[in-house]
Amino acid sequence: MMAEQADAVSKSDIEAVQEWLKTQPHLPAITESDIKVFLHCNYQDVEAAKVNIEKYYTFRTSCTDFFTNRDCRDETIQVAMSLSMFSVLPKSTPEGYRVAYCRLLNPDTTNYVHLHAIRMLVMHLDLWMKEEALAPGHVILIDMTGMHLGHLSKIRMGVVKNYSYYTQEAIPIRLKQLHFLNVVSFMDKIMWLAKPFMKKEIMELIHMHTSIDTLIKYIPLDCLPQEYGGGAGPYEDLNKLYRQKLFDHREEFLEEERSKRGHVDESKRIAKPKRYMFGLFG
């Protein structure tokens, strides 16, 4: 994990986490740079950072559905990339927040597999965190254009549950806003499915937009893709740029999986966690 900018993270806080890690033999080797990310994400709260580290590495080890078969040349990932996209908009918001932009590329659900789409998305999130984890804040913008009831029928609740857990509890980001643009008529059904897995704090970050008129109150027009009248260029170009990042980092993804780098060794865990996290912990 790396980043462009960060609040001050004290050396004493880093050392406190390093000392704690010496008592957690089940956790993988964690660099000082990664510790800074967890402290930054948790606003320099050492105890919260420790919890975040535990959740992050344990989830990534346990949730094999998301963190195996992450070869961007694999047919399942190739199909997922042909159906939907993830990119990071070039310009930050006035607050310095970095904005991830997602949308469908093809509304046909014939080959749409929910798990494969999420696996691809998580790969993109990994790259986003690698480059911009220390940004002042993170915003996710989802354009729902092209989504229809056929997609709803493909949603798998286990995937929703695990993805919700990962984005809310494990991944070290400062999520500030979650925007849905061009909301579909069945958005209430989507929220009904997702709500049981969403924390109140996340629900409060959600903004629904039927047009960009309300969106630009949060994300200036100049930050948005050309299709909305913005200055970020065509979304297809943004897609190509970020898709290429996956290929540029292909060997890193493969080596991580081969070597189990960043994996938890449960045989070395001294004490079990105090509560279950979606069945992962006892």
Side-chain angles (χ1 to χ4, degrees):
M1 299 173 192
M2 299 176 64
E4 298 176 330
Q5 49 189 314
D7 298 340
V9 175
S10 73
K11 185 66 175 176
S12 61
D13 286 346
I14 293 172
E15 290 173 349
V17 175
Q18 288 173 329
E19 286 301 309
W20 170 76
L21 286 170
K22 292 177 183 178
T23 70
Q24 308 297 315
H26 63 291
L27 290 175
I30 300 173
T31 67
E32 182 173 319
S33 295
D34 287 350
I35 292 173
K36 286 182 180 179
V37 168
F38 286 103
L39 285 166
H40 171 76
C41 168
N42 290 281
Y43 300 89
Q44 287 68 247
D45 184 325
V46 172
E47 294 307 312
K50 292 177 185 178
V51 172
N52 196 176
I53 289 170
E54 173 65 61
K55 290 179 177 180
Y56 177 78
Y57 288 104
T58 302
F59 183 84
R60 288 174 69 92
T61 304
S62 303
C63 188
T64 55
D65 281 349
F66 289 2
F67 299 101
T68 56
N69 302 320
R70 301 209 299 169
D71 184 351
C72 56
R73 293 181 183 172
D74 183 83
E75 183 179 0
T76 61
I77 301 298
Q78 288 279 305
V79 171
M81 288 192 291
S82 73
L83 298 176
S84 60
M85 66 168 281
F86 174 103
S87 67
V88 177
L89 299 180
K91 293 186 178 180
S92 303
T93 68
E95 301 88 349
Y97 301 160
R98 302 297 289 134
V99 183
Y101 172 72
C102 312
R103 66 171 295 149
L104 288 173
L105 297 172
N106 186 337
D108 186 0
T109 59
T110 303
N111 297 312
Y112 180 83
V113 178
H114 189 208
L115 173 60
H116 299 165
I118 296 298
R119 183 181 294 144
M120 179 200 73
L121 177 57
V122 170
M123 291 173 70
H124 279 303
L125 288 174
D126 277 3
L127 293 183
W128 191 25
M129 291 302 95
K130 183 181 180 67
E131 296 181 340
E132 300 180 335
L134 299 180
H138 301 88
V139 174
I140 297 176
L141 168 60
I142 301 171
D143 187 336
M144 304 187 77
T145 299
M147 186 172 289
H148 51 79
L149 288 172
H151 291 99
L152 190 63
S153 70
K154 298 263 187 167
I155 290 176
R156 296 295 175 261
M157 295 310 295
V159 174
V160 172
K161 180 175 69 172
N162 283 329
Y163 181 69
S164 298
Y165 176 81
Y166 183 60
T167 53
Q168 293 177 94
E169 299 281 354
I171 191 170
I173 65 173
R174 288 184 174 183
L175 185 61
K176 298 291 188 178
Q177 301 161 18
L178 177 56
H179 297 277
F180 290 92
L181 178 60
N182 297 318
V183 292
V184 292
S185 60
F186 53 91
M187 189 67 189
D188 58 330
K189 294 181 174 63
I190 295 175
M191 294 305 297
W192 180 80
L193 290 172
K195 191 173 181 179
F197 311 118
M198 298 182 73
K199 298 167 65 176
K200 179 183 177 182
E201 296 90 335
I202 298 299
M203 293 293 292
E204 292 172 349
L205 301 180
I206 294 176
H207 303 273
M208 307 285 190
H209 310 277
T210 56
S211 73
I212 64 167
D213 294 340
T214 52
L215 175 66
I216 58 177
K217 296 177 183 178
Y218 302 91
I219 306 174
L221 187 62
D222 192 44
C223 295
L224 296 172
Q226 178 178 303
E227 287 73 16
Y228 308 107
Y235 73 76
E236 289 186 357
D237 289 352
L238 297 172
N239 178 42
K240 290 177 184 177
L241 179 65
Y242 225 79
R243 177 175 174 170
Q244 184 59 44
K245 285 181 181 288
L246 284 187
F247 288 92
D248 292 343
H249 292 270
R250 177 175 179 261
E251 285 303 319
E252 293 176 32
F253 282 110
L254 295 177
E255 176 57 26
E256 180 182 71
E257 191 169 336
R258 283 193 297 262
S259 67
K260 297 187 181 297
R261 185 174 67 243
H263 280 209
V264 165
D265 186 343
E266 290 294 342
S267 68
K268 295 181 179 179
R269 188 187 289 275
I270 295 174
K272 289 185 177 182
K274 295 180 180 179
R275 65 184 182 88
Y276 276 86
M277 296 198 305
F278 293 160
L280 293 175
F281 295 135

